[in-house]
Amino acid sequence: MEVTNRYIVTKTHVDGAPEESHFELKTASLALTVEPGSNDVVVKNLYVSIDPYQLNRMKSYSSSQSAINFSVGITPGEGIDAYGVARVVASGNSKVEKDDLVVGLIAWGEYSVVKEGNMLSKLDPMGFPLTYHVGILGFSGLAAYGGFFEVCQPKKGEKVFVSTASGSVGNLVGQYAKLFGCYVVGCAGSKKKVELLKEKLGFDEAFNYKDETDLKSTLKRYFPDGIDIYFDNVGSEMLEAAVANMNTFGRVAVCGVISEYTNGKRAAPDMLDVVYNRITIRGFLAADHMNVYSDFISTTSDHLRTGNMQALEDITPGVENIPSAFIGLFSGDNIGKKIVKIADE
């Protein structure tokens, strides 16, 4: 049996802010079978993750493209892979069978052919919605958990600042920090998001960075006794302001620098502060923390079941809407984890 598979490609490299004109919806015939002896797996995509780091893969050059397999450059006109949940249609892989739910690297499209060696594993939903396995129980969750507990090494009572705190990772960091016993302040880009952080997620304080003209003074106001931990998702001026307010032996976990992806801005923290306050600034990737994956799943699942953690999701339907969902990440359109629903479960 054959189907017409719709999928998204880039038409050119994207060296700046992404626009609709950079993307194209293509179609191609796809056989829903595998050849005898093949280890391929054909899947029907259900939910796909939409993440800012993909923009660096779309650029004509980014140093990130040679760092790890997940970040290799995307060739214009070719399929784009991303983390997601799918259902097996045909399998030459003995580890998964037809109709199994799977999670791993699938395509920005309606169907995917997953080759042997690519990330794909059978999924046990554990009673949770499938979307949770794209976000809070996926790599966004692991980035938050590993970044906060492994990189930041928090102590109870420490003061934590989270940027992009209503985003897919930031909202989880804030929740983990509060449950651990820290004082937590987050920043976001709208009044609605600020209210959500305080009223739904339990942040001690939150502010709209767009209303502030002097970020260093703003952080001094919210942290009169200094910041112990800064979880950075934006880079640029926010990193500079946080470093200026860090306590001695403060830790900065750099998860992302979304403000630097599109406009060429670069953070320039005062290195004398870094030296004399003995501040640690460390970048990391979610994949660095697979050693705590089982702890992450166990802890987070327990928090979800008891209602101590909330899953923030922003779901858009339709493969044709992947470009607009992706573009919206860079103007702050999303609240929580951005996911595109490709098909009904």
Side-chain angles (χ1 to χ4, degrees):
M1 177 181 173
E2 280 196 352
V3 294
T4 299
N5 180 35
R6 297 189 302 158
Y7 61 102
I8 299 294
V9 300
T10 53
K11 292 194 283 188
T12 62
H13 288 297
V14 184
D15 293 312
E19 300 175 359
E20 290 278 358
S21 60
H22 289 130
F23 300 94
E24 181 180 5
L25 178 65
K26 298 187 78 171
T27 61
S29 295
L30 179 70
L32 299 184
T33 56
V34 294
E35 295 292 329
S38 168
N39 291 306
D40 290 354
V41 180
V42 182
V43 300
K44 183 178 180 65
N45 303 334
L46 301 177
Y47 297 98
V48 65
S49 177
I50 306 298
D51 300 289
Y53 83 90
Q54 296 276 29
L55 183 60
N56 295 317
R57 300 183 63 203
M58 297 173 186
K59 294 178 180 179
S60 55
Y61 170 79
S62 171
S63 58
S64 64
Q65 293 173 1
S66 59
I68 189 171
N69 287 343
F70 295 135
S71 63
V72 295
I74 293 168
T75 302
E78 295 189 0
I80 298 167
D81 58 344
Y83 198 70
V85 170
R87 190 176 293 279
V88 176
V89 176
S91 176
N93 186 325
S94 60
K95 294 180 181 178
V96 295
E97 300 176 355
K98 187 177 185 297
D99 294 328
D100 280 349
L101 288 169
V102 290
V103 62
L105 287 181
I106 59 177
W108 275 11
E110 294 176 319
Y111 291 85
S112 305
V113 178
V114 183
K115 300 290 185 181
E116 184 179 20
N118 287 353
M119 177 190 290
L120 191 75
S121 58
K122 189 172 179 178
L123 173 64
D124 174 8
M126 302 186 296
F128 294 114
L130 295 185
T131 51
Y132 282 24
H133 299 277
V134 181
I136 193 169
L137 295 174
F139 275 107
S140 295
L142 182 59
Y145 187 91
F148 183 63
F149 291 108
E150 298 295 300
V151 177
C152 297
Q153 295 286 313
K155 303 178 185 67
K156 294 184 188 303
E158 286 194 312
K159 295 170 285 295
V160 177
F161 175 46
V162 185
S163 58
T164 319
S166 66
S168 63
V169 176
N171 89 85
L172 301 177
V173 173
Q175 293 186 73
Y176 286 131
K178 281 302 300 175
L179 289 167
F180 188 73
C182 294
Y183 174 80
V184 183
V185 177
C187 72
S190 72
K191 180 180 179 182
K192 178 183 177 182
K193 292 179 180 180
V194 167
E195 290 174 350
L196 180 146
L197 293 175
K198 293 192 290 184
E199 295 171 10
K200 182 174 181 177
L201 302 186
F203 281 58
D204 293 288
E205 289 288 351
F207 64 91
N208 182 353
Y209 69 89
K210 294 178 181 177
D211 292 341
E212 306 296 334
T213 56
D214 184 342
L215 291 173
K216 290 181 182 179
S217 297
T218 300
L219 291 181
K220 183 67 175 176
R221 188 166 76 247
Y222 283 98
F223 294 97
D225 298 318
I227 300 169
D228 298 304
I229 291 171
Y230 172 42
F231 197 97
D232 187 18
N233 291 299
V234 299
S236 201
E237 295 96 339
M238 195 67 76
L239 175 58
E240 296 169 11
V243 166
N245 282 277
M246 297 292 289
N247 287 328
T248 304
F249 298 111
R251 287 88 74 205
V252 179
V254 184
C255 180
V257 287
I258 190 170
S259 71
E260 301 187 11
Y261 294 169
T262 58
N263 58 22
K265 288 184 179 178
R266 296 291 180 268
D270 188 327
M271 295 308 292
L272 280 179
D273 287 341
V274 175
V275 172
Y276 283 92
N277 287 327
R278 284 87 93 198
I279 298 168
T280 300
I281 302 176
R282 179 179 161 190
F284 73 97
L285 301 172
D288 297 339
H289 301 293
M290 293 303 294
N291 61 307
V292 298
Y293 182 79
S294 60
D295 292 337
F296 150 64
I297 291 293
S298 174
T299 300
T300 308
S301 297
D302 287 346
H303 286 324
L304 286 168
R305 290 190 177 101
T306 58
N308 290 328
M309 285 188 77
Q310 308 294 320
L312 282 190
E313 298 179 326
D314 192 331
I315 303 172
T316 297
V319 67
E320 67 278 3
N321 292 317
I322 288 177
S324 61
F326 178 68
I327 292 165
L329 294 176
F330 300 92
S331 53
D333 289 356
N334 62 300
I335 297 179
K337 177 64 186 179
K338 190 65 194 179
I339 296 169
V340 170
K341 178 182 178 180
I342 306 297
D344 291 333
E345 297 173 19

